[in-house]
Amino acid sequence: MADMSFETIWTDTLSLIEKELGEDEYAMWFSGLKFSRADDKSITVRAATKFLKDQLTHKDYISYIETKFHEISGKNIELDIETGGKTTGKLGTGRGEVKTGDKPAPAIHKKEKQANPHLRPEFNFDTFVETANNTFVINAANAISKNPGLAYNPFLIFGGVGLGKTHLMQAIGNYIYSHTDLTVICVTAEEFTNEFIEYVGAHTGKNRMKEFTNKYRHADVLLIDDIHLFSTNAKDTVNELFYTFEALRKANKQMVFTCDRPVQELKNLTERLVSRISQGLTVEINPPSYEGRIAILKRKLFDKQKTVPEEIIELIARNVSSNVRDLEGALEKIIAYNDLVGQAITLEIAQQQLKDILSPIKQVNITLDLLLRVVADYFALSINDLKGKKKSQTIVLPRQLGMYIARQITEYSTTEVGEYFGGRDHSTVISACNKIAERKKADP
Ligand code: ADP
Ligand code: MG
């Protein structure tokens, strides 16, 4: 028998994988791969997105595919994956132009399009700051925007309040809406429920159910926000959601959901719906780190064309760590004060303005200035004594005590504290803290 062609090996491998892993897993990870070329010992395929390539590598699907090559052909064939360029096949089904690449391209205005009333234009990829903690979810959202219905369907973003779930979901909607002619519907769970109740019209006596199903089951892209808020009592609504889901899934229409917990923990949805959703791609969105918070604050200031002193940005970033909405709220408050009073805001004023937001546990709203003043007053010294170079015991002990207290009750780093105490090194601060801690044991 003549040698199998490499392209045949590839298609046979795909069929084998589909049989082994099942339709859903196959559709999610393998349908976006297209045969590109081959030489004696390797097959090169093209992934629809870089995200897909990264995920295949990350999940170790590559060696899995290579074992299948061997099973099919009896040869050791390596798999190479490339990205970019034009993909053929299911991608770009004509209606919506599909792009590949890493970042969404700027919107092409084929014709002047009216704003989509369901979407807030400011929630787009451009205004969403990438931080170390959200790279994965952003990449997934980008991949979906460029290959709606084909990349990862359904897609669920879950995480705590104010972390950017709605923003990112709408960014997908905005991207698709401005780059294609696809119909994008974006609603909250509550809106979906209310609309369902209204159309079914128990109170009006008019059953306009058909209109409802026409609208939702013929959407190209359906985005539903906060699916944990479907009421446990709204059984009919949830059933209707399930049928909508099934219709859209069969037609390869993209669905994106957000919710505040892992989907398995949703008690308000039926088991079958939960199980369908968990077959898609589910990604958690995490709170940003300190550096991420600084980056977000700076970006917001840039967008609003405002400036605020660095130390105030740091004050906010240090204290508001749980969610981005509160971070924005704190910044808004400072900006509003600035605008109203019309003068540059000082750290003291900022602390005053933000006192109900600032963390009550770590008293970081105590500035080093204030702390030093208290210590100096207590020992009847001057601030300059504490910051200065004098080495007499009457000054060294209070100085060390000041450093120790600063480390205990503020979140300033040893470097920052050292810098403040007359430009000393962080190791000086560490050794001061150790000395005081030692002494405390003997002298409470
Ligand atoms: P959620 O839906 O998770 O409760 P939202 O999407 O409403 O949160 O986000 C809350 C606010 O924080 C919005 O104004 C949003 O623009 C902003 N936000 C969240 N994450 C980011 C980010 N990474 N970059 C820029 N803004 C963000
Ligand atoms: Mg939200």
Side-chain angles (χ1 to χ4, degrees):
M1 197 176 81
D3 265 2
M4 293 170 90
S5 85
F6 279 91
E7 188 153 7
T8 313
I9 296 175
W10 172 250
T11 43
D12 288 358
T13 301
L14 284 186
S15 315
L16 181 64
I17 291 174
E18 183 168 11
K19 244 181 252 143
E20 269 193 25
L21 300 182
E23 220 178 284
D24 288 321
E25 191 169 349
Y26 175 81
M28 175 115 64
W29 303 113
F30 299 91
S31 65
L33 295 175
K34 299 287 171 258
F35 182 84
S36 172
R37 63 193 130 75
D39 57 33
D40 315 345
K41 46 183 181 12
S42 69
I43 290 179
T44 304
V45 298
R46 191 177 287 277
T49 61
K50 180 168 180 301
F51 178 76
L52 175 60
K53 178 184 171 175
D54 292 346
Q55 286 305 298
L56 288 166
T57 315
H58 177 70
K59 289 175 180 284
D60 209 19
Y61 275 131
I62 295 192
S63 51
Y64 169 73
I65 296 175
E66 287 171 349
T67 350
K68 299 295 139 193
F69 284 163
H70 191 265
E71 274 174 39
I72 298 266
S73 68
K75 292 189 216 162
N76 290 324
I77 303 171
E78 278 176 23
L79 176 71
D80 289 321
I81 302 181
E82 58 186 18
T83 55
K86 251 203 141 39
T87 36
T88 50
K90 281 210 287 179
L91 296 176
T93 37
R95 294 228 276 151
E97 230 194 289
V98 172
K99 297 255 172 319
T100 56
D102 290 337
K103 291 269 171 200
I108 338 156
H109 292 288
K110 282 179 263 170
K111 50 182 193 288
E112 259 330 301
K113 234 181 184 180
Q114 289 202 324
N116 183 326
H118 303 291
L119 297 167
R120 291 173 56 176
E122 71 276 20
F123 283 168
N124 57 55
F125 283 112
D126 192 42
T127 53
F128 199 77
V129 179
E130 179 169 348
T131 70
N133 290 356
N134 65 19
T135 307
F136 181 72
V137 69
I138 293 180
N139 287 347
N142 278 343
I144 286 159
S145 305
K146 286 181 235 148
N147 298 289
L150 298 169
Y152 308 98
N153 197 20
F155 177 47
L156 174 82
I157 306 170
F158 78 92
V161 288
L163 295 182
K165 300 183 297 295
T166 301
H167 187 140
L168 213 46
M169 183 182 80
Q170 294 219 359
I172 297 174
N174 274 312
Y175 184 88
I176 297 173
Y177 186 71
S178 63
H179 286 78
T180 70
D181 290 328
L182 302 176
T183 350
V184 178
I185 297 183
C186 174
V187 284
T188 62
E190 195 188 356
E191 284 161 351
F192 185 92
T193 308
N194 290 344
E195 212 174 317
F196 178 73
I197 292 170
E198 190 191 315
Y199 275 79
V200 173
H203 55 291
T204 58
K206 275 189 236 148
N207 191 330
R208 290 154 66 212
M209 190 60 205
K210 211 150 188 74
E211 278 174 58
F212 184 88
T213 47
N214 270 342
K215 174 176 169 187
Y216 280 95
R217 293 188 201 174
H218 293 120
D220 294 311
V221 178
L222 176 62
L223 315 173
I224 305 186
D225 210 1
D226 293 330
I227 58 170
H228 56 278
L229 293 180
F230 278 109
S231 157
T232 20
N233 299 323
K235 295 240 163 20
D236 292 342
T237 308
V238 172
N239 278 334
E240 180 54 30
L241 179 64
F242 178 77
Y243 296 122
T244 307
F245 184 101
E246 288 291 88
L248 295 180
R249 175 92 174 82
K250 278 209 189 79
N252 275 337
K253 306 296 189 186
Q254 183 68 50
M255 287 173 280
V256 182
F257 306 115
T258 72
C259 92
D260 72 348
R261 67 203 78 178
V263 63
Q264 290 77 8
E265 289 170 26
L266 287 173
K267 297 278 172 281
N268 57 340
L269 302 184
T270 54
E271 226 168 84
R272 58 183 183 174
L273 187 52
V274 166
S275 126
R276 292 289 201 288
I277 295 175
S278 41
Q279 280 160 14
L281 179 67
T282 293
V283 180
E284 182 167 11
I285 189 164
N286 296 304
S289 66
Y290 176 74
E291 290 79 8
R293 300 198 291 277
I294 297 268
I296 291 171
L297 288 169
K298 288 192 169 165
R299 174 57 198 257
K300 302 274 169 193
L301 283 167
F302 176 82
D303 287 346
K304 293 178 202 294
Q305 306 210 311
K306 301 278 178 195
T307 51
V308 158
E310 192 74 24
E311 55 182 358
I312 295 177
I313 298 178
E314 288 169 13
L315 175 83
I316 299 173
R318 233 184 241 122
N319 288 279
V320 185
S321 57
S322 55
N323 89 54
V324 182
R325 187 174 298 138
D326 291 350
L327 200 64
E328 276 189 311
L331 188 65
E332 292 290 347
K333 216 166 168 183
I334 297 297
I335 293 174
Y337 183 92
N338 232 349
D339 289 350
L340 290 174
V341 180
Q343 65 184 30
I345 194 159
T346 64
L347 192 59
E348 277 70 25
I349 295 172
Q351 284 159 349
Q352 184 61 30
Q353 287 301 306
L354 300 176
K355 66 177 183 299
D356 36 333
I357 300 172
L358 297 179
S359 159
I361 304 151
K362 278 240 171 186
Q363 294 291 319
V364 274
N365 48 342
I366 291 182
T367 61
L368 290 175
D369 276 335
L370 177 61
L371 189 146
L372 215 65
R373 210 174 308 136
V374 171
V375 174
D377 285 352
Y378 184 84
F379 289 102
L381 296 168
S382 77
I383 289 181
N384 282 341
D385 286 336
L386 294 177
K387 287 190 172 183
K389 302 247 175 292
K390 285 187 213 154
K391 291 218 155 56
S392 66
Q393 198 49 36
T394 48
I395 295 176
V396 170
L397 180 66
R399 190 183 288 142
Q400 291 175 337
L401 206 56
M403 294 179 186
Y404 176 84
I405 297 171
R407 288 290 294 149
Q408 290 294 310
I409 67 170
T410 75
E411 279 190 26
Y412 289 102
S413 66
T414 49
T415 313
E416 287 168 316
V417 172
E419 184 58 34
Y420 189 79
F421 276 81
R424 291 178 158 81
D425 194 75
H426 76 281
S427 59
T428 312
V429 179
I430 294 172
S431 97
C433 291
N434 291 341
K435 280 193 190 121
I436 298 295
E438 248 341 278
R439 227 184 129 134
K440 238 177 96 183
K441 286 185 200 154
D443 176 9

